Amino acid sequence: MKKIIFVLFILCSCVAGLSAQTLVMPKDLKISKIADHLSKKGYKIIEKDETYLKLVDNQNSSMFIDISDDRKSLLLNINILLNKGTSKASIDKLVEKINDLAMIKATYNQEKDAIFFQYSFWISNGFTYETLEDAVVEFFLYQGDSYALDEDKIIYFQE
């Protein structure tokens, strides 16, 4: 009986070890590993180098993940184009509504005539790929919520 319990204990320990999340420290961060993890989760990696990657979800929404210069955070971000001739008042109104959402920060990028969405995913004390994946999902959800706030229909959608 003791052998059976011992074997079950070892088996459970092995299973728990295989499913455990691994803490990634900033010094060990590699965009290629993030890209590998997210591609296994169904995201399509469009571009990548040592400091950033661009990915697309299953609804063809895109985003960038950049490593901050100080390596304390990953910056999830995207520029959303606006319709030509949109008034500054309409832009400011939409940016204010978006900034009332909890997760993302929106600013107007006049050079690109776009609203810049950004979220800082802090990694200074380590992170897991699973928590990063959760942040990516949430970023896409808040991006969608932002589109719903666009009552004046100033966000440009390609058909």
Side-chain angles (χ1 to χ4, degrees):
M1 183 67 164
K2 287 183 181 181
K3 283 186 179 182
I4 293 173
I5 292 173
F6 180 72
V7 170
L8 286 175
F9 174 75
I10 297 297
L11 184 60
C12 288
S13 296
C14 290
V15 170
L18 291 174
S19 64
Q21 297 181 6
T22 303
L23 186 65
V24 180
M25 298 308 291
K27 64 180 176 51
D28 302 321
L29 175 65
K30 297 204 180 334
I31 285 289
S32 60
K33 289 186 179 182
I34 292 172
D36 290 344
H37 178 81
L38 292 174
S39 66
K40 288 177 187 171
K41 298 299 179 176
Y43 295 96
K44 184 176 178 183
I45 307 303
I46 306 298
E47 299 174 32
K48 74 176 175 179
D49 73 6
E50 293 178 8
T51 61
Y52 83 95
L53 65 87
K54 180 180 182 181
L55 60 95
V56 174
D57 70 0
N58 60 3
Q59 295 181 2
N60 210 30
S61 294
S62 61
M63 69 177 288
F64 289 88
I65 299 177
D66 299 286
I67 300 174
S68 65
D69 293 337
D70 60 7
R71 296 185 71 87
K72 290 185 179 181
S73 64
L74 294 173
L75 307 173
L76 287 62
N77 59 82
I78 192 72
N79 277 307
I80 304 298
L81 297 176
L82 300 174
N83 290 321
K84 300 285 183 214
T86 300
S87 73
K88 182 77 166 91
S90 293
I91 295 167
D92 291 343
K93 179 177 147 187
L94 180 57
V95 166
E96 183 177 333
K97 285 181 182 180
I98 293 169
N99 283 328
D100 286 340
L101 298 173
M103 184 174 171
I104 59 177
K105 180 175 189 225
T107 55
Y108 176 57
N109 182 335
Q110 188 172 4
E111 180 181 313
K112 294 186 178 185
D113 198 24
I115 296 178
F116 178 67
F117 292 73
Q118 184 173 26
Y119 170 69
S120 296
F121 178 78
W122 290 99
I123 62 170
S124 58
N125 294 318
F127 72 99
T128 65
Y129 293 115
E130 292 78 9
T131 56
L132 174 60
E133 180 187 350
D134 289 344
V136 168
V137 168
E138 287 293 316
F139 186 87
F140 280 126
L141 289 173
Y142 277 96
Q143 188 178 341
D145 290 347
S146 298
Y147 298 154
L149 296 173
D150 183 17
E151 296 169 354
D152 296 336
K153 305 298 179 210
I154 65 172
I155 294 175
Y156 174 76
F157 290 100
Q158 293 179 336
E159 297 190 24

